[in-house]
Amino acid sequence: MTPLLAALAVASCMGAAPQQHPAAAPTPPPLTVMVADTDALGRVLTAPDGHTLYRYDREEGGTVACVTTCTDTRKPLLTRPGTELRLPPGIVGTLGTISRPDGGDQVTYDGSPLYTYAADEQPVDANGVTLHWHVIQPPNVPATPGG
């Protein structure tokens, strides 16, 4: 090999930068809506932290009506894009998401946006039931063991 060819070969190898592939965004952990027993209302859907979930009966047809000051007491159950949504085994219904007008993706159950209530201090408290706010009692909640 001539010195010129050797120099060109070395230069071409040194100038070639290794290809870098952008790292894929990490997949968010799944979000599982749970079922728990309340003192007064029986078995209800809860957020992953155990707080009772509510639906607002004025939200129909894929709309979100609880915005601005409403969210001071009614906290939307939000999720990140790409999060796998899960129900406990044996519970029928469909979890999905809806885009909120004030930003974010809110979890839905059978099309109803889900919320927690700020005054529910402990898991499975159900202080947020009113004329238009309701807990969600899935129709086929398995019986508790021994009950």
Side-chain angles (χ1 to χ4, degrees), residues 59-60 62-67 98-102 106 113 115:
E59 294 182 328
E60 295 178 359
T63 62
V64 174
C66 182
V67 293
I98 189 169
S99 294
R100 292 188 52 80
D102 53 1
Q106 185 171 359
Y115 299 85

Side-chain angles (χ1 to χ4, degrees), residues 33-125:
V33 170
M34 305 301 288
V35 176
D37 291 309
T38 64
D39 290 336
L41 301 170
R43 302 201 77 195
V44 299
L45 291 183
T46 68
D49 66 1
H51 283 85
T52 303
L53 291 171
Y54 299 85
R55 67 173 179 81
Y56 187 34
D57 65 10
R58 294 186 173 174
E59 294 182 328
E60 295 178 359
T63 62
V64 174
C66 182
V67 293
T68 61
T69 59
C70 177
T71 59
D72 291 344
T73 57
R74 305 292 177 161
K75 304 298 181 185
L77 180 60
L78 299 175
T79 189
R80 294 182 3 208
T83 300
E84 178 186 353
L85 304 174
R86 296 180 183 168
L87 284 169
I91 303 298
V92 297
T94 303
L95 293 177
T97 59
I98 189 169
S99 294
R100 292 188 52 80
D102 53 1
D105 290 333
Q106 185 171 359
V107 178
T108 62
Y109 175 76
D110 287 345
S112 294
L114 300 178
Y115 299 85
T116 58
Y117 183 56
D120 285 349
E121 295 178 6
Q122 300 296 317
V124 302
D125 281 352

